[in-house]
Amino acid sequence: MSGPGTPAGSGSPRPATLLRRLRHSEAKRLELERKLMEYKKSDAYLMKLKYMKLKNCLREVVERQNRALQRNQALFKELDQLETHLKTSGSAMIQKMEAWYGREIKSVITSRG
């Protein structure tokens, strides 16, 4: 089985043949590397990267929005409870103040008269 670069009877290729194959392989590797770089610079690749980044950003924004919504709902609940408490304690306080001022006014009127 002798090839174009091998002498008849010898089993291994000559150094010149190996060198030629090496150069061909290196040229092919460089061409593939150049194509890869072109692809990485292509609009489709860049758009896919931008899409992935935007998708991640959107996911983070949605998560923050959900946390903010839960926090706001908890705050609204606390405010409603506080408002209810103030209304009930405020009306009780007003009744106590009316009774106290009523007694004070009566005592002032009776002490003058």
Side-chain angles (χ1 to χ4, degrees):
M1 216 180 189
S2 61
T6 60
S10 113
S12 62
R14 290 192 287 170
T17 305
L18 290 175
L19 191 58
R20 194 170 43 247
R21 287 182 185 170
L22 179 63
R23 285 186 189 131
H24 177 72
S25 294
E26 181 64 14
K28 195 172 186 178
R29 185 192 66 78
L30 288 172
E31 177 63 21
L32 290 172
E33 192 173 286
R34 184 188 62 77
K35 285 182 180 179
L36 176 64
M37 293 306 290
E38 282 179 14
Y39 174 71
K40 283 187 174 182
K41 291 180 182 178
S42 72
D43 287 341
Y45 179 77
L46 293 176
M47 290 310 241
K48 186 174 181 179
L49 283 179
K50 287 180 182 179
Y51 168 78
M52 295 304 290
K53 286 180 184 178
L54 285 173
K55 190 174 178 181
N56 288 337
C57 287
L58 178 62
R59 187 179 313 119
E60 290 174 12
V61 167
V62 167
E63 288 173 4
R64 281 196 312 258
Q65 183 181 12
N66 288 337
R67 286 193 304 266
L69 181 62
Q70 290 172 353
R71 183 184 64 240
N72 290 346
Q73 288 173 342
L75 287 172
F76 279 131
K77 185 177 178 181
E78 285 183 41
L79 285 174
D80 283 342
Q81 291 172 350
L82 179 63
E83 184 179 25
T84 303
H85 175 71
L86 288 176
K87 283 181 181 177
T88 56
S89 65
S91 61
M93 184 62 82
I94 289 172
Q95 289 173 353
K96 287 180 184 176
M97 288 175 67
E98 285 176 345
W100 185 79
Y101 281 118
R103 285 193 305 269
E104 286 296 313
I105 291 172
K106 284 181 185 176
S107 68
V108 169
I109 291 175
T110 54
S111 66
R112 285 190 180 174

